[in-house]
Amino acid sequence: MMNTKPYYAVIFTSTRTEGDNGYGKMAQQMEDIAKQQSGFIGIESAREEIGITVSYWESLEAITKWKANTDHLFAQQKGVKNWYAEYKVRICLVEHEYEFKK
Amino acid sequence: MMNTKPYYAVIFTSTRTEGDNGYGKMAQQMEDIAKQQSGFIGIESAREEIGITVSYWESLEAITKWKANTDHLFAQQKGVKNWYAEYKVRICLVEHEYEFKK
């Protein structure tokens, strides 16, 4: 995930409803499908009290296409119906980055 | 955390070293101090295999000041020495957002 060009981060924060109800399987599927999308750069995710998933994309166009992906649309509908008590999506331009490795 | 003005997200992703070594206490302290900074909007955080903390700020200036805060600088040094195997910081302009609540 090294980038010199401008790129975008989609921050998806969510609170789950109780129980799995097929959520784990869907989450893995969505990650697998996202990775095959044009313009996909990477994805990182962790959940404790809330879940945070950040996906990285080459352009706003790539993000729009991923949002409109048929399998993803189906998961979004199930998400609103079954899986999420609430969520928030933020689409962000990455302006600056730095890192540390031991 | 409602915003109509442009604002920034700092995405901090990290992999921990083994053991706590005072990390949990420091993380809570840093969150408490961040909340007192000028221009602070909010903070969200979760850790599984990796940790993701996203803090939200009114301006790049507020982010720069928080990075240079004395207590925070001390924690950054300890972080590099003791707590993190690696980390990455991305400073992002939030361009668009939407949310869902049950």
Side-chain angles (χ1 to χ4, degrees):
Chain A
M1 258 169 61
M2 289 300 294
N3 282 280
T4 47
K5 284 193 224 169
Y7 68 103
Y8 288 83
V10 179
I11 306 170
F12 178 79
T13 50
S14 65
T15 308
R16 287 286 324 279
T17 50
E18 300 249 324
D20 186 70
N21 305 315
Y23 175 79
K25 195 180 165 193
M26 174 284 303
Q28 187 55 57
Q29 277 175 346
M30 284 309 111
E31 194 170 317
D32 294 344
I33 300 171
K35 285 176 182 167
Q36 295 161 25
Q37 298 306 297
S38 168
F40 174 85
I41 298 170
I43 189 164
E44 298 177 304
S45 164
R47 178 172 298 278
E48 284 182 306
E49 278 177 57
I50 63 155
I52 306 178
T53 297
V54 190
S55 57
Y56 303 98
W57 302 87
E58 286 173 5
S59 65
L60 287 175
E61 192 192 3
I63 294 167
T64 304
K65 279 191 184 161
W66 168 232
K67 187 164 191 266
N69 171 282
T70 311
D71 293 324
H72 191 197
L73 275 181
F74 181 70
Q76 288 168 53
Q77 286 160 6
K78 292 256 290 181
V80 166
K81 203 171 163 196
N82 300 330
W83 293 320
Y84 298 118
E86 56 187 290
Y87 67 70
K88 185 155 185 166
V89 178
R90 290 177 179 90
I91 296 165
C92 311
L93 175 65
V94 180
E95 295 207 335
H96 177 60
E97 65 181 28
Y98 57 92
E99 64 191 323
F100 158 76
K101 266 180 201 175
K102 210 146 237 168
Chain B
M1 255 168 66
M2 289 301 293
N3 280 280
T4 47
K5 283 194 225 169
Y7 68 102
Y8 289 83
V10 179
I11 306 170
F12 178 78
T13 50
S14 65
T15 309
R16 285 286 324 279
T17 50
E18 298 250 326
D20 185 72
N21 304 312
Y23 175 78
K25 195 181 164 190
M26 174 285 302
Q28 187 56 56
Q29 277 174 347
M30 283 311 111
E31 195 170 316
D32 293 344
I33 299 171
K35 285 176 181 167
Q36 295 162 24
Q37 299 304 299
S38 168
F40 174 87
I41 298 171
I43 189 164
E44 298 178 303
S45 168
R47 177 172 297 279
E48 284 181 306
E49 278 178 58
I50 63 157
I52 307 178
T53 297
V54 190
S55 57
Y56 304 97
W57 302 87
E58 286 173 5
S59 65
L60 288 175
E61 192 191 3
I63 295 166
T64 305
K65 279 190 184 162
W66 169 231
K67 189 166 190 262
N69 171 281
T70 312
D71 293 323
H72 191 197
L73 275 180
F74 181 69
Q76 288 170 53
Q77 286 160 7
K78 292 257 289 182
V80 167
K81 204 171 162 197
N82 301 329
W83 293 320
Y84 297 118
E86 56 187 291
Y87 68 70
K88 185 154 185 167
V89 178
R90 291 177 178 89
I91 295 164
C92 312
L93 176 64
V94 180
E95 295 206 337
H96 178 60
E97 66 182 25
Y98 57 92
E99 65 192 321
F100 158 76
K101 266 180 200 173
K102 209 147 238 169

